[in-house]
Amino acid sequence: MSLRKQTPSDFLKQIIGRPVVVKLNSGVDYRGVLACLDGYMNIAIEQTEEYVNGQLKNKYGDAFLRGNNDEYVNKQAHKIKNR
Amino acid sequence: RHGLDEIVLQPTTNTVEEPLDLIRLSLDERIYVKMRNDRELRGRLHAYDQHLNMILGDVEETVTTVEIDEETYEELYKSTKRNIPMLFVRGDGVVLVAPPLRVG
């Protein structure tokens, strides 16, 4: 999967449907399958698990994460940083 | 409905399904909202906008605090709950929105 000269839209299309880790600046981790996201980094994740130190809560179905929460979306080696 | 083949960065009605479209499916349903500052809300979603400002009805708010005992260094978790019949939630405090939790 090449990173050269992709538009953000191309990148977003590639990672939809993949397992992701979304790490918030607060230190909380969300792991699940990326259902969709938009240009504001709002995210919908399926089969989400929330990790704070240890595993705290399971969320089944969709979880919506608001953009602008200092999110890092990590799939393998790809990272998007949202300021 | 999928008029465009690409994701447009401005949210318009021609984009592929985006997270806010899916929140629309939760209208009139009970939802769980995680907020900044260790607050959680459970209530019925009456309205929302692109900022995630929301109107929630029949709300239970939970505020969680941690106290540390100075001698034993024990962490004491406290929850304070209150009930609010109708609530405007300002979107910039919202972290996460989901169907009501089942605690794992």
Side-chain angles (χ1 to χ4, degrees), chain A residues 9 12-13 16 24 30 36-40 42-44 50 57-60 62-66 68-69, chain B residues 5 7 9-11 17-19 22-23 32 34 36 40 51-52 91-92 94-97 99 101-102:
Chain A
S9 305
L12 297 184
K13 270 198 281 188
I16 282 179
L24 304 188
Y30 294 92
C36 54
L37 74 166
D38 64 18
Y40 297 99
N42 296 320
I43 287 176
E50 177 184 71
K57 288 170 187 167
N58 286 326
K59 304 187 210 311
Y60 301 97
D62 291 326
F64 307 94
L65 294 177
R66 187 179 186 273
N68 290 352
N69 273 306
Chain B
D5 199 35
I7 299 172
L9 292 182
Q10 307 301 322
E17 273 192 61
E18 51 179 36
L22 296 176
I23 287 200
Y32 165 81
K34 192 181 193 13
R36 294 182 187 271
E40 300 163 286
H51 306 290
L52 256 50
D92 62 3
V94 172
V95 172
L96 174 150
V97 179
L101 278 182
R102 285 172 274 163

mmCIF file of all heavy atoms in Angstrom, chain A residues 9 12-13 16 24 30 36-40 42-44 50 57-60 62-66 68-69, chain B residues 5 7 9-11 17-19 22-23 32 34 36 40 51-52 91-92 94-97 99 101-102:
data_model
loop_
_atom_site.group_PDB
_atom_site.id
_atom_site.type_symbol
_atom_site.label_atom_id
_atom_site.label_comp_id
_atom_site.label_asym_id
_atom_site.label_seq_id
_atom_site.Cartn_x
_atom_site.Cartn_y
_atom_site.Cartn_z
ATOM 1 N N SER A 9 -8.613 11.735 0.740
ATOM 2 C CA SER A 9 -9.763 10.898 0.408
ATOM 3 C C SER A 9 -9.345 9.480 0.057
ATOM 4 O O SER A 9 -9.986 8.521 0.459
ATOM 5 C CB SER A 9 -10.514 11.485 -0.787
ATOM 6 O OG SER A 9 -10.870 12.808 -0.524
ATOM 7 N N LEU A 12 -8.479 7.618 3.236
ATOM 8 C CA LEU A 12 -9.650 7.279 4.021
ATOM 9 C C LEU A 12 -10.369 6.085 3.416
ATOM 10 O O LEU A 12 -10.843 5.202 4.126
ATOM 11 C CB LEU A 12 -10.594 8.479 4.100
ATOM 12 C CG LEU A 12 -10.057 9.732 4.804
ATOM 13 C CD1 LEU A 12 -11.132 10.785 4.888
ATOM 14 C CD2 LEU A 12 -9.532 9.413 6.179
ATOM 15 N N LYS A 13 -10.476 6.036 2.108
ATOM 16 C CA LYS A 13 -11.152 4.912 1.462
ATOM 17 C C LYS A 13 -10.429 3.611 1.743
ATOM 18 O O LYS A 13 -11.036 2.562 1.892
ATOM 19 C CB LYS A 13 -11.222 5.152 -0.056
ATOM 20 C CG LYS A 13 -12.472 5.898 -0.482
ATOM 21 C CD LYS A 13 -12.749 5.745 -1.960
ATOM 22 C CE LYS A 13 -11.856 6.666 -2.771
ATOM 23 N NZ LYS A 13 -12.268 6.662 -4.194
ATOM 24 N N ILE A 16 -11.105 2.132 5.520
ATOM 25 C CA ILE A 16 -12.463 1.753 5.938
ATOM 26 C C ILE A 16 -12.612 0.243 5.855
ATOM 27 O O ILE A 16 -12.170 -0.387 4.893
ATOM 28 C CB ILE A 16 -13.503 2.490 5.068
ATOM 29 C CG1 ILE A 16 -13.636 3.924 5.552
ATOM 30 C CG2 ILE A 16 -14.859 1.786 5.111
ATOM 31 C CD1 ILE A 16 -14.597 4.754 4.763
ATOM 32 N N LEU A 24 -6.994 8.417 21.981
ATOM 33 C CA LEU A 24 -7.309 9.799 22.307
ATOM 34 C C LEU A 24 -6.202 10.385 23.170
ATOM 35 O O LEU A 24 -5.450 9.670 23.820
ATOM 36 C CB LEU A 24 -8.645 9.887 23.045
ATOM 37 C CG LEU A 24 -9.843 9.275 22.346
ATOM 38 C CD1 LEU A 24 -11.102 9.608 23.105
ATOM 39 C CD2 LEU A 24 -9.945 9.743 20.907
ATOM 40 N N TYR A 30 -9.399 2.985 21.729
ATOM 41 C CA TYR A 30 -10.566 2.305 21.193
ATOM 42 C C TYR A 30 -10.127 1.406 20.054
ATOM 43 O O TYR A 30 -9.446 1.857 19.134
ATOM 44 C CB TYR A 30 -11.618 3.305 20.704
ATOM 45 C CG TYR A 30 -12.212 4.101 21.833
ATOM 46 C CD1 TYR A 30 -11.662 5.323 22.208
ATOM 47 C CD2 TYR A 30 -13.294 3.612 22.551
ATOM 48 C CE1 TYR A 30 -12.185 6.035 23.267
ATOM 49 C CE2 TYR A 30 -13.824 4.318 23.606
ATOM 50 C CZ TYR A 30 -13.266 5.527 23.968
ATOM 51 O OH TYR A 30 -13.776 6.230 25.020
ATOM 52 N N CYS A 36 -16.809 4.021 9.260
ATOM 53 C CA CYS A 36 -16.674 5.178 8.378
ATOM 54 C C CYS A 36 -16.062 6.339 9.139
ATOM 55 O O CYS A 36 -16.012 6.326 10.361
ATOM 56 C CB CYS A 36 -18.021 5.584 7.770
ATOM 57 S SG CYS A 36 -19.312 5.878 8.979
ATOM 58 N N LEU A 37 -15.590 7.314 8.392
ATOM 59 C CA LEU A 37 -15.137 8.546 8.999
ATOM 60 C C LEU A 37 -15.339 9.670 8.009
ATOM 61 O O LEU A 37 -15.604 9.434 6.845
ATOM 62 C CB LEU A 37 -13.686 8.447 9.476
ATOM 63 C CG LEU A 37 -12.539 8.466 8.485
ATOM 64 C CD1 LEU A 37 -11.243 8.714 9.251
ATOM 65 C CD2 LEU A 37 -12.418 7.191 7.716
ATOM 66 N N ASP A 38 -15.282 10.897 8.505
ATOM 67 C CA ASP A 38 -15.512 12.031 7.613
ATOM 68 C C ASP A 38 -14.330 12.985 7.685
ATOM 69 O O ASP A 38 -13.345 12.726 8.367
ATOM 70 C CB ASP A 38 -16.851 12.717 7.964
ATOM 71 C CG ASP A 38 -16.847 13.318 9.353
ATOM 72 O OD1 ASP A 38 -15.773 13.533 9.941
ATOM 73 O OD2 ASP A 38 -17.951 13.578 9.873
ATOM 74 N N GLY A 39 -14.451 14.070 6.957
ATOM 75 C CA GLY A 39 -13.332 14.999 6.843
ATOM 76 C C GLY A 39 -13.009 15.716 8.133
ATOM 77 O O GLY A 39 -11.956 16.342 8.245
ATOM 78 N N TYR A 40 -13.882 15.645 9.128
ATOM 79 C CA TYR A 40 -13.619 16.255 10.424
ATOM 80 C C TYR A 40 -13.046 15.252 11.420
ATOM 81 O O TYR A 40 -12.919 15.557 12.593
ATOM 82 C CB TYR A 40 -14.911 16.863 10.987
ATOM 83 C CG TYR A 40 -15.436 17.979 10.113
ATOM 84 C CD1 TYR A 40 -16.455 17.751 9.204
ATOM 85 C CD2 TYR A 40 -14.892 19.255 10.197
ATOM 86 C CE1 TYR A 40 -16.921 18.773 8.395
ATOM 87 C CE2 TYR A 40 -15.355 20.275 9.397
ATOM 88 C CZ TYR A 40 -16.373 20.025 8.490
ATOM 89 O OH TYR A 40 -16.837 21.026 7.690
ATOM 90 N N ASN A 42 -14.540 12.759 12.572
ATOM 91 C CA ASN A 42 -15.549 11.985 13.266
ATOM 92 C C ASN A 42 -15.434 10.551 12.773
ATOM 93 O O ASN A 42 -15.207 10.311 11.586
ATOM 94 C CB ASN A 42 -16.954 12.515 12.973
ATOM 95 C CG ASN A 42 -17.156 13.918 13.491
ATOM 96 O OD1 ASN A 42 -16.704 14.267 14.584
ATOM 97 N ND2 ASN A 42 -17.831 14.754 12.706
ATOM 98 N N ILE A 43 -15.604 9.590 13.676
ATOM 99 C CA ILE A 43 -15.336 8.196 13.342
ATOM 100 C C ILE A 43 -16.476 7.324 13.836
ATOM 101 O O ILE A 43 -17.005 7.542 14.923
ATOM 102 C CB ILE A 43 -14.012 7.738 14.012
ATOM 103 C CG1 ILE A 43 -12.834 8.350 13.294
ATOM 104 C CG2 ILE A 43 -13.892 6.229 14.021
ATOM 105 C CD1 ILE A 43 -11.525 8.012 13.959
ATOM 106 N N ALA A 44 -16.863 6.323 13.041
ATOM 107 C CA ALA A 44 -17.767 5.290 13.514
ATOM 108 C C ALA A 44 -17.008 3.974 13.511
ATOM 109 O O ALA A 44 -16.406 3.605 12.507
ATOM 110 C CB ALA A 44 -19.001 5.187 12.623
ATOM 111 N N GLU A 50 -12.982 -0.556 24.593
ATOM 112 C CA GLU A 50 -12.353 0.610 25.190
ATOM 113 C C GLU A 50 -11.304 0.139 26.186
ATOM 114 O O GLU A 50 -11.598 -0.645 27.072
ATOM 115 C CB GLU A 50 -13.409 1.471 25.878
ATOM 116 C CG GLU A 50 -12.838 2.670 26.584
ATOM 117 C CD GLU A 50 -13.920 3.434 27.330
ATOM 118 O OE1 GLU A 50 -14.405 2.911 28.339
ATOM 119 O OE2 GLU A 50 -14.277 4.544 26.890
ATOM 120 N N LYS A 57 -14.532 -1.381 29.202
ATOM 121 C CA LYS A 57 -15.909 -1.529 28.735
ATOM 122 C C LYS A 57 -15.902 -2.158 27.358
ATOM 123 O O LYS A 57 -15.019 -1.924 26.555
ATOM 124 C CB LYS A 57 -16.582 -0.159 28.637
ATOM 125 C CG LYS A 57 -16.889 0.458 29.956
ATOM 126 C CD LYS A 57 -17.315 1.900 29.763
ATOM 127 C CE LYS A 57 -17.456 2.587 31.101
ATOM 128 N NZ LYS A 57 -17.564 4.036 30.944
ATOM 129 N N ASN A 58 -16.936 -2.930 27.054
ATOM 130 C CA ASN A 58 -17.155 -3.398 25.691
ATOM 131 C C ASN A 58 -18.333 -2.672 25.093
ATOM 132 O O ASN A 58 -19.387 -2.601 25.713
ATOM 133 C CB ASN A 58 -17.438 -4.902 25.685
ATOM 134 C CG ASN A 58 -16.181 -5.694 25.943
ATOM 135 O OD1 ASN A 58 -15.112 -5.299 25.530
ATOM 136 N ND2 ASN A 58 -16.318 -6.805 26.646
ATOM 137 N N LYS A 59 -18.178 -2.144 23.906
ATOM 138 C CA LYS A 59 -19.304 -1.542 23.208
ATOM 139 C C LYS A 59 -19.581 -2.361 21.952
ATOM 140 O O LYS A 59 -18.705 -2.560 21.138
ATOM 141 C CB LYS A 59 -18.977 -0.106 22.813
ATOM 142 C CG LYS A 59 -18.586 0.740 23.982
ATOM 143 C CD LYS A 59 -18.446 2.175 23.579
ATOM 144 C CE LYS A 59 -17.438 2.919 24.404
ATOM 145 N NZ LYS A 59 -17.618 2.735 25.844
ATOM 146 N N TYR A 60 -20.749 -2.862 21.830
ATOM 147 C CA TYR A 60 -21.103 -3.625 20.646
ATOM 148 C C TYR A 60 -21.873 -2.736 19.704
ATOM 149 O O TYR A 60 -22.499 -1.776 20.119
ATOM 150 C CB TYR A 60 -21.919 -4.853 21.043
ATOM 151 C CG TYR A 60 -21.169 -5.749 21.978
ATOM 152 C CD1 TYR A 60 -21.364 -5.665 23.347
ATOM 153 C CD2 TYR A 60 -20.235 -6.647 21.494
ATOM 154 C CE1 TYR A 60 -20.651 -6.473 24.217
ATOM 155 C CE2 TYR A 60 -19.526 -7.456 22.356
ATOM 156 C CZ TYR A 60 -19.725 -7.375 23.710
ATOM 157 O OH TYR A 60 -19.019 -8.167 24.549
ATOM 158 N N ASP A 62 -22.214 0.139 16.905
ATOM 159 C CA ASP A 62 -21.439 1.295 16.502
ATOM 160 C C ASP A 62 -21.102 2.185 17.668
ATOM 161 O O ASP A 62 -21.914 2.389 18.559
ATOM 162 C CB ASP A 62 -22.214 2.122 15.462
ATOM 163 C CG ASP A 62 -22.342 1.399 14.147
ATOM 164 O OD1 ASP A 62 -21.406 0.678 13.799
ATOM 165 O OD2 ASP A 62 -23.376 1.562 13.493
ATOM 166 N N ALA A 63 -19.894 2.690 17.661
ATOM 167 C CA ALA A 63 -19.502 3.749 18.576
ATOM 168 C C ALA A 63 -19.047 4.924 17.735
ATOM 169 O O ALA A 63 -18.329 4.753 16.756
ATOM 170 C CB ALA A 63 -18.388 3.300 19.506
ATOM 171 N N PHE A 64 -19.469 6.111 18.077
ATOM 172 C CA PHE A 64 -19.104 7.312 17.331
ATOM 173 C C PHE A 64 -18.123 8.114 18.147
ATOM 174 O O PHE A 64 -18.407 8.460 19.276
ATOM 175 C CB PHE A 64 -20.345 8.157 17.047
ATOM 176 C CG PHE A 64 -21.419 7.372 16.400
ATOM 177 C CD1 PHE A 64 -22.408 6.792 17.154
ATOM 178 C CD2 PHE A 64 -21.414 7.192 15.030
ATOM 179 C CE1 PHE A 64 -23.395 6.050 16.559
ATOM 180 C CE2 PHE A 64 -22.412 6.448 14.430
ATOM 181 C CZ PHE A 64 -23.399 5.881 15.192
ATOM 182 N N LEU A 65 -16.966 8.387 17.564
ATOM 183 C CA LEU A 65 -15.965 9.209 18.225
ATOM 184 C C LEU A 65 -15.928 10.554 17.545
ATOM 185 O O LEU A 65 -15.816 10.637 16.320
ATOM 186 C CB LEU A 65 -14.593 8.536 18.153
ATOM 187 C CG LEU A 65 -14.473 7.230 18.918
ATOM 188 C CD1 LEU A 65 -13.107 6.619 18.704
ATOM 189 C CD2 LEU A 65 -14.705 7.477 20.403
ATOM 190 N N ARG A 66 -16.018 11.610 18.351
ATOM 191 C CA ARG A 66 -16.030 12.951 17.780
ATOM 192 C C ARG A 66 -14.621 13.333 17.346
ATOM 193 O O ARG A 66 -13.654 13.097 18.071
ATOM 194 C CB ARG A 66 -16.566 13.938 18.818
ATOM 195 C CG ARG A 66 -16.786 15.342 18.279
ATOM 196 C CD ARG A 66 -17.349 16.238 19.376
ATOM 197 N NE ARG A 66 -17.717 17.540 18.895
ATOM 198 C CZ ARG A 66 -16.883 18.589 18.814
ATOM 199 N NH1 ARG A 66 -15.626 18.441 19.186
ATOM 200 N NH2 ARG A 66 -17.299 19.749 18.361
ATOM 201 N N ASN A 68 -11.589 16.084 16.501
ATOM 202 C CA ASN A 68 -11.076 17.145 17.380
ATOM 203 C C ASN A 68 -10.951 16.697 18.822
ATOM 204 O O ASN A 68 -11.087 17.480 19.738
ATOM 205 C CB ASN A 68 -11.955 18.401 17.335
ATOM 206 C CG ASN A 68 -11.804 19.093 16.004
ATOM 207 O OD1 ASN A 68 -10.965 18.730 15.192
ATOM 208 N ND2 ASN A 68 -12.629 20.087 15.783
ATOM 209 N N ASN A 69 -10.715 15.409 19.026
ATOM 210 C CA ASN A 69 -10.390 14.957 20.367
ATOM 211 C C ASN A 69 -8.961 14.460 20.383
ATOM 212 O O ASN A 69 -8.637 13.492 21.048
ATOM 213 C CB ASN A 69 -11.332 13.831 20.820
ATOM 214 C CG ASN A 69 -12.577 14.398 21.450
ATOM 215 O OD1 ASN A 69 -12.484 15.187 22.381
ATOM 216 N ND2 ASN A 69 -13.726 14.019 20.947
ATOM 217 N N ASP B 5 -18.199 8.936 -6.200
ATOM 218 C CA ASP B 5 -17.374 7.752 -5.997
ATOM 219 C C ASP B 5 -16.289 7.995 -4.960
ATOM 220 O O ASP B 5 -15.540 7.098 -4.624
ATOM 221 C CB ASP B 5 -16.741 7.361 -7.337
ATOM 222 C CG ASP B 5 -16.264 5.923 -7.321
ATOM 223 O OD1 ASP B 5 -16.933 5.102 -6.681
ATOM 224 O OD2 ASP B 5 -15.233 5.644 -7.929
ATOM 225 N N ILE B 7 -14.966 10.169 -1.241
ATOM 226 C CA ILE B 7 -15.427 10.816 -0.017
ATOM 227 C C ILE B 7 -15.123 12.298 -0.129
ATOM 228 O O ILE B 7 -14.000 12.702 -0.323
ATOM 229 C CB ILE B 7 -14.723 10.232 1.211
ATOM 230 C CG1 ILE B 7 -15.034 8.736 1.323
ATOM 231 C CG2 ILE B 7 -15.155 10.947 2.466
ATOM 232 C CD1 ILE B 7 -14.226 8.052 2.379
ATOM 233 N N LEU B 9 -14.686 15.935 1.442
ATOM 234 C CA LEU B 9 -14.269 16.299 2.785
ATOM 235 C C LEU B 9 -15.274 17.197 3.480
ATOM 236 O O LEU B 9 -15.328 17.257 4.678
ATOM 237 C CB LEU B 9 -12.887 16.964 2.762
ATOM 238 C CG LEU B 9 -11.763 16.014 2.366
ATOM 239 C CD1 LEU B 9 -10.425 16.712 2.421
ATOM 240 C CD2 LEU B 9 -11.744 14.801 3.275
ATOM 241 N N GLN B 10 -16.089 17.933 2.726
ATOM 242 C CA GLN B 10 -17.159 18.687 3.362
ATOM 243 C C GLN B 10 -18.361 17.771 3.492
ATOM 244 O O GLN B 10 -18.722 17.091 2.546
ATOM 245 C CB GLN B 10 -17.550 19.910 2.521
ATOM 246 C CG GLN B 10 -16.390 20.791 2.149
ATOM 247 C CD GLN B 10 -15.672 21.322 3.367
ATOM 248 O OE1 GLN B 10 -16.291 21.650 4.361
ATOM 249 N NE2 GLN B 10 -14.362 21.388 3.304
ATOM 250 N N PRO B 11 -18.982 17.736 4.638
ATOM 251 C CA PRO B 11 -20.141 16.847 4.781
ATOM 252 C C PRO B 11 -21.344 17.369 3.998
ATOM 253 O O PRO B 11 -21.884 18.401 4.340
ATOM 254 C CB PRO B 11 -20.422 16.849 6.284
ATOM 255 C CG PRO B 11 -19.796 18.081 6.798
ATOM 256 C CD PRO B 11 -18.676 18.442 5.885
ATOM 257 N N GLU B 17 -21.997 7.181 3.320
ATOM 258 C CA GLU B 17 -22.463 7.278 4.696
ATOM 259 C C GLU B 17 -21.331 7.734 5.597
ATOM 260 O O GLU B 17 -20.241 7.194 5.568
ATOM 261 C CB GLU B 17 -22.984 5.928 5.163
ATOM 262 C CG GLU B 17 -24.434 5.720 4.831
ATOM 263 C CD GLU B 17 -24.990 4.514 5.544
ATOM 264 O OE1 GLU B 17 -24.987 4.512 6.776
ATOM 265 O OE2 GLU B 17 -25.403 3.576 4.846
ATOM 266 N N GLU B 18 -21.614 8.705 6.413
ATOM 267 C CA GLU B 18 -20.596 9.186 7.327
ATOM 268 C C GLU B 18 -21.119 9.033 8.744
ATOM 269 O O GLU B 18 -22.303 8.774 8.949
ATOM 270 C CB GLU B 18 -20.244 10.628 6.997
ATOM 271 C CG GLU B 18 -21.451 11.531 6.880
ATOM 272 C CD GLU B 18 -21.040 12.964 6.584
ATOM 273 O OE1 GLU B 18 -20.060 13.159 5.847
ATOM 274 O OE2 GLU B 18 -21.691 13.860 7.124
ATOM 275 N N PRO B 19 -20.216 9.194 9.710
ATOM 276 C CA PRO B 19 -20.612 8.936 11.096
ATOM 277 C C PRO B 19 -21.877 9.677 11.513
ATOM 278 O O PRO B 19 -22.710 9.102 12.208
ATOM 279 C CB PRO B 19 -19.395 9.414 11.893
ATOM 280 C CG PRO B 19 -18.258 9.184 10.973
ATOM 281 C CD PRO B 19 -18.771 9.461 9.598
ATOM 282 N N LEU B 22 -25.054 8.020 10.647
ATOM 283 C CA LEU B 22 -25.370 6.868 11.484
ATOM 284 C C LEU B 22 -25.892 7.308 12.841
ATOM 285 O O LEU B 22 -26.686 6.603 13.459
ATOM 286 C CB LEU B 22 -24.148 5.962 11.604
ATOM 287 C CG LEU B 22 -23.727 5.349 10.261
ATOM 288 C CD1 LEU B 22 -22.458 4.543 10.409
ATOM 289 C CD2 LEU B 22 -24.832 4.486 9.688
ATOM 290 N N ILE B 23 -25.468 8.469 13.334
ATOM 291 C CA ILE B 23 -26.031 8.985 14.585
ATOM 292 C C ILE B 23 -27.513 9.266 14.387
ATOM 293 O O ILE B 23 -28.327 9.070 15.292
ATOM 294 C CB ILE B 23 -25.292 10.259 15.065
ATOM 295 C CG1 ILE B 23 -23.922 9.900 15.607
ATOM 296 C CG2 ILE B 23 -26.125 10.977 16.118
ATOM 297 C CD1 ILE B 23 -23.336 10.952 16.515
ATOM 298 N N TYR B 32 -25.783 6.387 24.994
ATOM 299 C CA TYR B 32 -24.767 6.630 26.012
ATOM 300 C C TYR B 32 -23.795 7.648 25.438
ATOM 301 O O TYR B 32 -23.359 7.528 24.298
ATOM 302 C CB TYR B 32 -24.044 5.312 26.325
ATOM 303 C CG TYR B 32 -22.760 5.474 27.090
ATOM 304 C CD1 TYR B 32 -22.754 5.656 28.468
ATOM 305 C CD2 TYR B 32 -21.536 5.438 26.420
ATOM 306 C CE1 TYR B 32 -21.565 5.798 29.161
ATOM 307 C CE2 TYR B 32 -20.351 5.579 27.112
ATOM 308 C CZ TYR B 32 -20.373 5.752 28.486
ATOM 309 O OH TYR B 32 -19.196 5.900 29.150
ATOM 310 N N LYS B 34 -20.178 9.728 26.276
ATOM 311 C CA LYS B 34 -19.020 9.934 27.153
ATOM 312 C C LYS B 34 -18.515 11.348 26.899
ATOM 313 O O LYS B 34 -18.293 11.748 25.754
ATOM 314 C CB LYS B 34 -17.956 8.901 26.822
ATOM 315 C CG LYS B 34 -16.808 8.789 27.807
ATOM 316 C CD LYS B 34 -15.869 7.743 27.274
ATOM 317 C CE LYS B 34 -14.797 7.169 28.099
ATOM 318 N NZ LYS B 34 -14.667 7.288 29.482
ATOM 319 N N ARG B 36 -15.934 14.822 28.178
ATOM 320 C CA ARG B 36 -14.692 15.173 28.879
ATOM 321 C C ARG B 36 -14.955 15.336 30.370
ATOM 322 O O ARG B 36 -16.103 15.460 30.786
ATOM 323 C CB ARG B 36 -14.155 16.494 28.330
ATOM 324 C CG ARG B 36 -13.709 16.426 26.900
ATOM 325 C CD ARG B 36 -13.161 17.790 26.500
ATOM 326 N NE ARG B 36 -12.860 17.867 25.102
ATOM 327 C CZ ARG B 36 -11.688 17.529 24.567
ATOM 328 N NH1 ARG B 36 -10.725 17.077 25.326
ATOM 329 N NH2 ARG B 36 -11.490 17.628 23.279
ATOM 330 N N GLU B 40 -20.494 11.026 32.161
ATOM 331 C CA GLU B 40 -21.228 10.167 31.251
ATOM 332 C C GLU B 40 -22.701 10.520 31.312
ATOM 333 O O GLU B 40 -23.216 10.865 32.376
ATOM 334 C CB GLU B 40 -21.046 8.695 31.637
ATOM 335 C CG GLU B 40 -19.600 8.243 31.610
ATOM 336 C CD GLU B 40 -19.424 6.946 32.371
ATOM 337 O OE1 GLU B 40 -19.463 6.972 33.614
ATOM 338 O OE2 GLU B 40 -19.275 5.910 31.727
ATOM 339 N N HIS B 51 -22.001 19.670 15.162
ATOM 340 C CA HIS B 51 -21.026 19.903 16.241
ATOM 341 C C HIS B 51 -21.160 18.862 17.342
ATOM 342 O O HIS B 51 -20.404 18.866 18.298
ATOM 343 C CB HIS B 51 -21.239 21.287 16.859
ATOM 344 C CG HIS B 51 -21.228 22.375 15.847
ATOM 345 N ND1 HIS B 51 -20.082 22.760 15.189
ATOM 346 C CD2 HIS B 51 -22.217 23.170 15.371
ATOM 347 C CE1 HIS B 51 -20.383 23.745 14.352
ATOM 348 N NE2 HIS B 51 -21.662 24.008 14.439
ATOM 349 N N LEU B 52 -22.178 18.009 17.202
ATOM 350 C CA LEU B 52 -22.573 17.069 18.253
ATOM 351 C C LEU B 52 -23.182 17.776 19.462
ATOM 352 O O LEU B 52 -23.236 17.192 20.542
ATOM 353 C CB LEU B 52 -21.427 16.161 18.676
ATOM 354 C CG LEU B 52 -21.567 14.737 18.107
ATOM 355 C CD1 LEU B 52 -21.826 14.722 16.624
ATOM 356 C CD2 LEU B 52 -20.365 13.913 18.473
ATOM 357 N N GLY B 91 -21.581 20.424 22.094
ATOM 358 C CA GLY B 91 -20.860 19.377 21.389
ATOM 359 C C GLY B 91 -19.379 19.304 21.676
ATOM 360 O O GLY B 91 -18.778 18.233 21.565
ATOM 361 N N ASP B 92 -18.758 20.429 22.057
ATOM 362 C CA ASP B 92 -17.294 20.378 22.189
ATOM 363 C C ASP B 92 -16.849 19.563 23.392
ATOM 364 O O ASP B 92 -15.675 19.226 23.506
ATOM 365 C CB ASP B 92 -16.680 21.779 22.187
ATOM 366 C CG ASP B 92 -17.142 22.633 23.352
ATOM 367 O OD1 ASP B 92 -17.899 22.135 24.212
ATOM 368 O OD2 ASP B 92 -16.757 23.806 23.393
ATOM 369 N N VAL B 94 -18.183 16.553 23.970
ATOM 370 C CA VAL B 94 -18.527 15.161 23.684
ATOM 371 C C VAL B 94 -17.300 14.413 23.180
ATOM 372 O O VAL B 94 -16.576 14.897 22.305
ATOM 373 C CB VAL B 94 -19.655 15.075 22.631
ATOM 374 C CG1 VAL B 94 -19.885 13.633 22.194
ATOM 375 C CG2 VAL B 94 -20.939 15.682 23.189
ATOM 376 N N VAL B 95 -17.066 13.227 23.730
ATOM 377 C CA VAL B 95 -15.994 12.367 23.260
ATOM 378 C C VAL B 95 -16.551 11.222 22.417
ATOM 379 O O VAL B 95 -16.062 10.938 21.330
ATOM 380 C CB VAL B 95 -15.184 11.818 24.458
ATOM 381 C CG1 VAL B 95 -14.182 10.768 24.006
ATOM 382 C CG2 VAL B 95 -14.478 12.954 25.179
ATOM 383 N N LEU B 96 -17.581 10.552 22.915
ATOM 384 C CA LEU B 96 -18.071 9.330 22.284
ATOM 385 C C LEU B 96 -19.577 9.233 22.439
ATOM 386 O O LEU B 96 -20.137 9.618 23.457
ATOM 387 C CB LEU B 96 -17.381 8.124 22.932
ATOM 388 C CG LEU B 96 -17.805 6.714 22.551
ATOM 389 C CD1 LEU B 96 -16.621 5.784 22.677
ATOM 390 C CD2 LEU B 96 -18.927 6.246 23.469
ATOM 391 N N VAL B 97 -20.230 8.685 21.404
ATOM 392 C CA VAL B 97 -21.675 8.426 21.446
ATOM 393 C C VAL B 97 -21.889 6.978 21.040
ATOM 394 O O VAL B 97 -21.319 6.514 20.052
ATOM 395 C CB VAL B 97 -22.439 9.357 20.473
ATOM 396 C CG1 VAL B 97 -23.923 9.067 20.509
ATOM 397 C CG2 VAL B 97 -22.179 10.815 20.820
ATOM 398 N N PRO B 99 -24.846 3.295 21.503
ATOM 399 C CA PRO B 99 -26.036 2.731 22.131
ATOM 400 C C PRO B 99 -25.734 2.445 23.596
ATOM 401 O O PRO B 99 -24.560 2.308 23.951
ATOM 402 C CB PRO B 99 -26.291 1.444 21.355
ATOM 403 C CG PRO B 99 -25.536 1.593 20.097
ATOM 404 C CD PRO B 99 -24.381 2.495 20.380
ATOM 405 N N LEU B 101 -24.639 1.174 27.142
ATOM 406 C CA LEU B 101 -23.586 0.220 27.393
ATOM 407 C C LEU B 101 -24.106 -1.043 28.012
ATOM 408 O O LEU B 101 -25.010 -1.027 28.831
ATOM 409 C CB LEU B 101 -22.567 0.811 28.368
ATOM 410 C CG LEU B 101 -21.519 1.733 27.804
ATOM 411 C CD1 LEU B 101 -20.590 2.162 28.903
ATOM 412 C CD2 LEU B 101 -20.741 1.036 26.720
ATOM 413 N N ARG B 102 -23.433 -2.151 27.630
ATOM 414 C CA ARG B 102 -23.477 -3.319 28.488
ATOM 415 C C ARG B 102 -22.085 -3.443 29.076
ATOM 416 O O ARG B 102 -21.120 -3.585 28.338
ATOM 417 C CB ARG B 102 -23.809 -4.562 27.672
ATOM 418 C CG ARG B 102 -25.267 -4.628 27.281
ATOM 419 C CD ARG B 102 -25.508 -5.748 26.316
ATOM 420 N NE ARG B 102 -25.268 -5.371 24.949
ATOM 421 C CZ ARG B 102 -25.089 -6.239 23.966
ATOM 422 N NH1 ARG B 102 -25.089 -7.522 24.223
ATOM 423 N NH2 ARG B 102 -24.903 -5.834 22.742
#
